[in-house]
């Protein structure tokens, strides 16, 4: 995004496939943009750590948010592993099902989020195709006597940048591997989607050990890591 002299904002959306040489690609892109827009204020979202060094060498940078690293699945990580439409927990006997995320799930999603996105942002994710078709929630299936819909207990969404995020599980259901199943369900939906060909990836804040452990356990790795 950049601002004209009259403070009018303009937006440019671009996608660079995740790769280990993205540092050079982003550095060149930023230098060209700054040359074409001298004196403009340019902001970038979801900037991965692998690109930071190259960009800092080419332009004046002011960091306004915490640092993130980009994670991608290893080539041999199977999207099909652990993906089931319905199953029974062997310990509790409770039944679970994979479903789309609904508007009534928003409050729970935000209650478990470490970032204050707010309801309007989640509503945008749920109503903007093709992303709106890829979010997944795991629900505890109620008894046949219950008139209410099955509540969401774990979930994974996709940001408008196609980055996986907002992964969460209700505290009382943690430790059952539900978050991994939710991520795998989104990977499968992503793989089967005709409207989104980008490689699965996630931007994880440096120091977010829970998310790093989750995605690392799924066979994902940090882009640019040795």
């Amino acid at each position: 995004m950049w601002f004209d002299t009259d403070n009018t904002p303009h937006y440019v959306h671009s996608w660079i496939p995740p790769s280990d040489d993205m540092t050079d690609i982003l550095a060149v892109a930023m230098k060209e943009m700054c040359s074409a827009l001298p004196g403009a204020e340019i902001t970038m979202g979801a900037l991965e750590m692998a690109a930071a060094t190259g960009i800092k060498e080419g332009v004046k940078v002011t960091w306004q948010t915490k640092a993130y690293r980009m994670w991608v699945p290893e080539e041999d990580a199977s999207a099909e592993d652990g993906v089931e439409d319905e199953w029974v927990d062997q310990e509790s006997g409770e039944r679970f099902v994979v479903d789309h995320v609904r508007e009534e799930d928003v409050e729970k999603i935000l209650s478990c989020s470490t970032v204050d996105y707010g309801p309007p942002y989640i509503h945008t994710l749920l109503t903007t195709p093709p992303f709106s078709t890829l979010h997944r929630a795991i629900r505890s299936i109620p008894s046949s006597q219950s008139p209410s819909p099955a509540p969401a207990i774990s979930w994974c969404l996709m940001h408008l940048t196609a980055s996986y995020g907002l992964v969460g599980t209700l505290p009382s259901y943690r430790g059952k591997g539900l978050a991994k199943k939710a991520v795998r369900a989104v990977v499968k939906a992503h793989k089967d989607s005709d409207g989104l060909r980008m490689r699965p990836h996630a931007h994880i804040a440096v120091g977010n050990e829970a998310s790093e452990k989750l995605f690392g356990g799924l066979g994902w790795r940090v882009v640019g890591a040795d």
Side-chain angles (χ1 to χ4, degrees):
M1 177 176 70
W2 76 88
F3 292 91
D4 278 346
T5 53
D6 63 354
N7 208 37
T8 301
H10 297 266
Y11 298 86
V12 173
H13 294 276
S14 61
W15 168 251
I16 299 175
S19 63
D20 293 321
D21 60 354
M22 68 168 58
T23 297
D24 295 335
I25 298 174
L26 279 173
V28 171
M30 286 296 292
K31 290 176 184 178
E32 291 296 325
M33 185 175 291
C34 290
S35 296
L37 301 166
E41 176 185 347
I42 301 172
T43 65
M44 297 182 67
L47 178 63
E48 51 279 350
M49 289 291 292
T53 302
I55 289 180
K56 288 172 67 175
E57 291 176 353
V59 298
K60 181 180 179 181
V61 177
T62 300
W63 302 106
Q64 296 182 326
T65 60
K66 63 179 69 176
Y68 286 77
R69 291 191 178 96
M70 176 181 278
W71 291 64
V72 295
E74 293 283 8
E75 295 298 334
D76 59 352
S78 174
E80 307 299 326
D81 291 345
V83 178
E84 304 169 279
D85 291 332
E86 185 176 327
W87 69 97
V88 176
D89 182 78
Q90 296 302 312
E91 290 187 10
S92 66
E94 191 169 6
R95 297 168 62 225
F96 302 110
V97 64
V98 175
D99 187 23
H100 293 275
V101 176
R102 308 170 185 167
E103 286 286 349
E104 54 264 35
D105 301 323
V106 172
E107 184 176 349
K108 287 184 179 180
I109 291 172
L110 291 175
S111 72
C112 294
S113 175
T114 58
V115 179
D116 186 17
Y117 288 107
Y121 178 73
I122 308 301
H123 174 75
T124 299
L125 296 183
L126 298 185
T127 55
T128 303
F131 309 100
S132 54
T133 66
L134 305 179
H135 315 304
R136 290 294 183 271
I138 294 175
R139 303 184 186 280
S140 172
I141 303 176
S143 64
S144 58
Q145 290 78 26
S146 175
S148 61
I153 57 176
S154 189
W155 47 82
C156 175
L157 281 71
M158 184 181 287
H159 295 286
L160 298 185
T161 57
S163 172
Y164 290 38
L166 285 158
V167 183
T169 302
L170 294 181
S172 59
Y173 283 92
R174 291 172 185 169
K176 298 178 178 292
L178 297 178
K180 284 186 176 181
K181 288 181 178 290
V183 173
R184 284 176 174 142
V186 173
V187 172
K188 184 177 186 301
H190 186 171
K191 178 181 177 181
D192 296 341
S193 172
D194 292 329
L196 194 63
R197 296 299 183 186
M198 299 176 183
R199 183 179 180 183
H201 65 285
H203 293 102
I204 300 176
V206 175
N208 185 341
E209 296 180 357
S211 292
E212 292 174 348
K213 181 179 179 180
L214 169 64
F215 281 90
L218 287 167
W220 293 44
R221 65 176 179 85
V222 177
V223 171
D226 295 331

